[in-house]
Amino acid sequence: MDKKKIGDLLIEKGLITKAQLKECLQLQGFSGKRLGEVLTEKGYVTEDQLIDTISERLSIPKISLASMVIDPNVLRHVSVEVARRYTLIPIFEIGNTLTIAMADPLNIIAIDEIKYQTGLNIKRAITTISEIKEAVEKYYSISDSLSHIIHETADNKATTQKKKSDGFIVDSAETDSPIVKFVNIIISKAVREGASDIHIEPEEDRIRIRYRVSGIMREEASPPKTMQSELISRIKVAANLDVSEKRLPQDGRFLMSMDGRGIDLRVSTLPTIHGEKIVIRILDRKNLSLTFAQLGLTEQLEERWKNLIHKPEGLILISGPTSSGKTSTLYATLQDINSIEKNIVTVEDPVEYSLPLITQVQINEKANLTFPSALRSLLRQNPDIIMIGEIRDSETAKMAIRSSLTGHLVFSTIHTNDAPSAVTRLIDMGIENYLVASAIKGVLAQRLVRKNCQHCIEEYSPLESLLEKTGLSELAATISFKKGVGCPKCRMTGYAGMTGIFEYFEVNPVLAEMILSNSSVHAIREEARKYGFVPLFEMGLEKISKGEICLEELLKETSNIDAFQADHSQDLVKV
């Protein structure tokens, strides 16, 4: 049975004719492509028909690579050259048996070659050419470089020894170094895949590399433990860190150019029991050109926010947890109000992006340049607009309030669960009620949530327990709930990209009076509803109704906030 050729199998199945097979065999002779590729390119069969036929006749299982996560250690059994030459990829290893996904499982030469190289028994599975090519590019972009690096490092060890000091390369002409190439590949792949950060984590017998994509950690191919010292040293050199210091955490940064744009990379090291862990945060400069709509603000909210940020004075806050997108919103806001007529000064820790026409100050606590001390100095520089990276303590809060009450427009971030809570947070820091009521003009609270993949989005019904938890049971019939079910485009996750959810709280005379009278956050929040305040959860429901996000994702990010209550059901209908 195995000796039957693919063409004969397809003819027996009735999917092609002998004339079509003859034509494609002739084309195959000229092009050098596999017969299956020629048949699908001519449109005589689809990829699915091709593999279904082979799977059925040869009793070889058909699989989907998009739904799998391949162990990087398994990939080392087959080189990228062999994987590309024969259009295959190893997927898992059990005992002394290696399972390989192949586009052409009848290729005995490929099977014999891998069996000879690995010494393992080979088990075949079949999948489409396109899935294998995508998987090879996905998994071997790093794994492929590893094999070259290991060999090049061994071959060049003698010649590079003269360039080394304290275990790392210091020569300026080191761009062709294998380890430099590997670091560049790690970073480039992370940027292409939209990762927010890279985690390089030493363990007892390996180095683990993971990307955070859309808020979720994902493992990549891992280099051998022997490369740990050189890999970490290379990154520390690029970030201008002390390579000899391995006992204390360090922070640094460096710039990398990719596809004609600058990528800022912020590096943080942390000593662990198995060596230094490194986290590289990726700050893509293209985010500086994001509009408010791209960040996730609705048209109505964008209009209200723009009216607020163009006020001549006052304190404006952006609230949210770490990695909720506050910095992107803050920088987009500064870009919107930036002009040659205004003197804008920022005090940040750290400065994440360099902005034109804006004076940016980097906090340096070792040199006693703190938020309060920097603010005292910059007030003598006659600024029109001040941006404070974060209000962390009472002294910084007092300086921010004082600045906003002396004719400056002040922007900052603060950590609270929702927008109205920013008021009580400032009061808890020791700011008098009357100062908060006078200074604060508005607060924008936000969260980041994963968006549904639009290539595999389908309607669904959430669990009744979730509907009851959110008070949506009675309204469920009026809402079209949708979520991604998983496809190759989103790597079977059901999600693609992220968007912001925002709630906007603006202080008017009535709310200012409530702040003066020390009203509770709940009372202030309920009164704010009369003036257009919509809580985060309900703003998220608007994105649910448009099919942008799913209910489960919304609940994950807003679970610590007062969820939708039945007595506001009429408000929801209007959203």
Side-chain angles (χ1 to χ4, degrees):
M1 184 74 70
D2 279 9
K3 294 181 180 180
K4 286 193 175 181
K5 297 181 179 179
I6 293 176
D8 296 330
L9 295 172
L10 292 171
I11 291 174
E12 288 184 15
K13 192 75 174 177
L15 293 174
I16 61 172
T17 64
K18 290 184 178 180
Q20 290 172 332
L21 175 59
K22 184 178 180 180
E23 176 192 355
C24 290
L25 285 172
Q26 290 176 339
L27 291 173
Q28 181 193 20
F30 291 119
S31 66
K33 296 180 180 179
R34 293 175 180 81
L35 178 60
E37 286 185 88
V38 178
L39 287 165
T40 53
E41 286 176 1
K42 292 292 292 182
Y44 293 149
V45 294
T46 65
E47 278 193 303
D48 285 334
Q49 287 175 330
L50 185 66
I51 65 173
D52 282 342
T53 301
I54 299 172
S55 175
E56 178 185 340
R57 293 297 300 275
L58 303 180
S59 299
I60 296 174
K62 173 187 173 183
I63 62 166
S64 171
L65 293 178
S67 61
M68 299 183 66
V69 177
I70 302 175
D71 185 344
N73 292 316
V74 174
L75 297 171
R76 294 176 185 170
H77 288 301
V78 178
S79 69
V80 68
E81 291 83 6
V82 172
R84 287 177 176 151
R85 186 191 316 145
Y86 297 121
T87 316
L88 54 80
I89 187 169
I91 52 178
F92 51 82
E93 177 184 7
I94 300 176
N96 65 342
T97 300
L98 180 67
T99 300
I100 297 177
M102 308 178 69
D104 180 9
L106 295 176
N107 193 332
I108 305 302
I109 295 175
I111 295 170
D112 287 344
E113 182 174 335
I114 295 171
K115 187 174 183 178
Y116 174 77
Q117 290 178 348
T118 63
L120 299 172
N121 296 322
I122 304 301
K123 185 177 180 181
R124 297 169 293 172
I126 185 170
T127 190
T128 62
I129 294 173
S130 58
E131 280 202 61
I132 290 178
K133 287 183 176 179
E134 185 176 340
V136 168
E137 291 303 316
K138 171 185 173 182
Y139 288 104
Y140 276 104
S141 58
I142 291 180
S143 295
D144 179 24
S145 64
L146 277 176
S147 59
H148 288 292
I149 288 166
I150 293 168
H151 287 102
E152 286 184 46
T153 302
D155 294 341
N156 300 331
K157 187 174 181 180
T159 58
T160 58
Q161 192 65 39
K162 293 180 181 180
K163 297 182 181 180
K164 292 188 177 183
S165 173
D166 296 329
F168 65 96
I169 298 175
V170 295
D171 193 285
S172 58
E174 62 173 356
T175 54
D176 292 329
S177 161
I179 198 68
V180 172
K181 292 178 183 177
F182 182 57
V183 171
N184 289 342
I185 288 170
I186 291 174
I187 296 171
S188 299
K189 187 171 189 289
V191 172
R192 284 197 303 270
E193 298 191 6
S196 59
D197 42 68
I198 305 166
H199 294 248
I200 301 173
E201 304 164 320
E203 296 183 358
E204 186 175 0
D205 57 355
R206 63 178 294 192
I207 306 173
R208 190 184 300 275
I209 296 179
R210 294 192 291 171
Y211 294 165
R212 186 182 295 278
V213 181
S214 298
I216 303 298
M217 299 287 276
R218 190 181 73 216
E219 186 169 2
E220 294 294 328
S222 299
K225 184 72 173 178
T226 53
M227 289 180 59
Q228 177 174 319
S229 177
E230 197 172 2
L231 174 61
I232 291 174
S233 295
R234 168 57 201 166
I235 296 171
K236 291 175 73 173
V237 167
N240 199 27
L241 300 179
D242 184 355
V243 180
S244 63
E245 179 56 75
K246 300 178 181 179
R247 301 165 300 171
L248 298 173
Q250 297 186 70
D251 294 300
R253 65 188 307 160
F254 63 100
L255 182 67
M256 180 175 176
S257 179
M258 181 176 174
D259 297 332
R261 69 178 191 272
I263 306 294
D264 281 313
L265 301 161
R266 204 168 79 197
V267 178
S268 172
T269 72
L270 181 69
T272 73
I273 59 173
H274 298 303
E276 291 177 282
K277 173 180 176 177
I278 289 186
V279 175
I280 304 173
R281 186 173 182 188
I282 300 169
L283 305 173
D284 196 338
R285 288 175 178 263
K286 72 178 182 181
N287 293 334
L288 291 175
S289 60
L290 290 177
T291 65
F292 290 123
Q294 289 172 324
L295 291 174
L297 274 75
T298 62
E299 290 185 13
Q300 182 181 10
L301 187 53
E302 179 180 345
E303 182 180 354
R304 297 180 68 189
W305 181 244
K306 284 187 174 181
N307 289 336
L308 179 72
I309 64 178
H310 286 280
K311 287 182 179 291
E313 46 79 28
L315 176 62
I316 298 172
L317 298 173
I318 298 177
S319 171
T322 303
S323 299
S324 61
K326 298 189 300 296
T327 300
S328 295
T329 304
L330 203 53
Y331 275 53
T333 298
L334 290 180
Q335 292 280 74
D336 188 81
I337 61 178
N338 193 12
S339 72
I340 196 72
E341 292 87 9
K342 295 176 181 176
N343 178 18
I344 303 177
V345 184
T346 75
V347 184
E348 305 171 67
D349 184 23
V351 174
E352 296 197 357
Y353 296 103
S354 177
L355 301 173
L357 277 181
I358 295 178
T359 303
Q360 295 172 272
V361 179
Q362 168 76 53
I363 290 300
N364 186 347
E365 294 188 357
K366 292 181 180 178
N368 202 31
L369 182 61
T370 61
F371 279 112
S373 63
L375 283 169
R376 280 190 289 269
S377 298
L378 71 85
L379 284 173
R380 294 191 286 271
Q381 300 264 319
N382 191 26
D384 300 302
I385 298 169
I386 301 170
M387 191 273 272
I388 305 169
E390 181 183 347
I391 295 179
R392 299 176 179 174
D393 50 52
S394 59
E395 192 175 0
T396 305
K398 289 175 183 177
M399 289 298 300
I401 293 287
R402 186 183 305 169
S403 301
S404 66
L405 292 175
T406 54
H408 302 94
L409 183 61
V410 181
F411 292 92
S412 189
T413 66
I414 194 167
H415 286 283
T416 58
N417 283 342
D418 60 2
S421 295
V423 171
T424 54
R425 176 70 178 131
L426 290 174
I427 295 173
D428 289 341
M429 286 183 175
I431 309 298
E432 297 291 341
N433 292 45
Y434 73 93
L435 291 175
V436 175
S438 301
I440 197 165
K441 301 301 179 184
V443 184
L444 188 73
Q446 66 181 83
R447 297 290 189 277
L448 278 180
V449 297
R450 292 185 293 173
K451 295 194 295 184
N452 290 328
C453 173
Q454 297 301 311
H455 295 281
C456 60
I457 191 170
E458 291 183 2
E459 287 195 23
Y460 79 110
S461 298
L463 296 173
E464 185 60 34
S465 59
L466 290 180
L467 296 175
E468 291 177 359
K469 177 182 178 181
T470 55
L472 294 173
S473 295
E474 296 182 3
L475 292 169
T478 65
I479 303 174
S480 176
F481 294 98
K482 296 179 180 179
K483 70 185 303 184
V485 296
C487 68
K489 292 284 186 180
C490 62
R491 297 188 173 181
M492 306 306 293
T493 63
Y495 303 102
M498 304 189 80
T499 187
I501 299 176
F502 302 85
E503 69 176 23
Y504 174 65
F505 171 78
E506 186 170 355
V507 177
N508 59 25
V510 174
L511 295 173
E513 191 64 35
M514 294 183 71
I515 296 171
L516 280 171
S517 61
N518 208 27
S519 298
S520 67
V521 174
H522 178 74
I524 293 173
R525 186 185 296 117
E526 290 304 303
E527 184 65 25
R529 280 182 173 274
K530 300 176 183 178
Y531 306 101
F533 171 73
V534 181
L536 278 167
F537 183 82
E538 294 175 39
M539 291 298 291
L541 288 174
E542 182 176 359
K543 292 185 180 291
I544 285 178
S545 66
K546 294 179 180 178
E548 292 184 39
I549 64 175
C550 65
L551 180 60
E552 290 81 359
E553 186 69 11
L554 175 61
L555 281 175
K556 188 178 72 174
E557 297 300 328
T558 60
S559 58
N560 62 336
I561 303 169
D562 287 342
F564 176 74
Q565 300 297 323
D567 57 348
H568 293 303
S569 59
Q570 296 305 316
D571 296 332
L572 174 61
V573 174
K574 296 175 184 177
V575 170

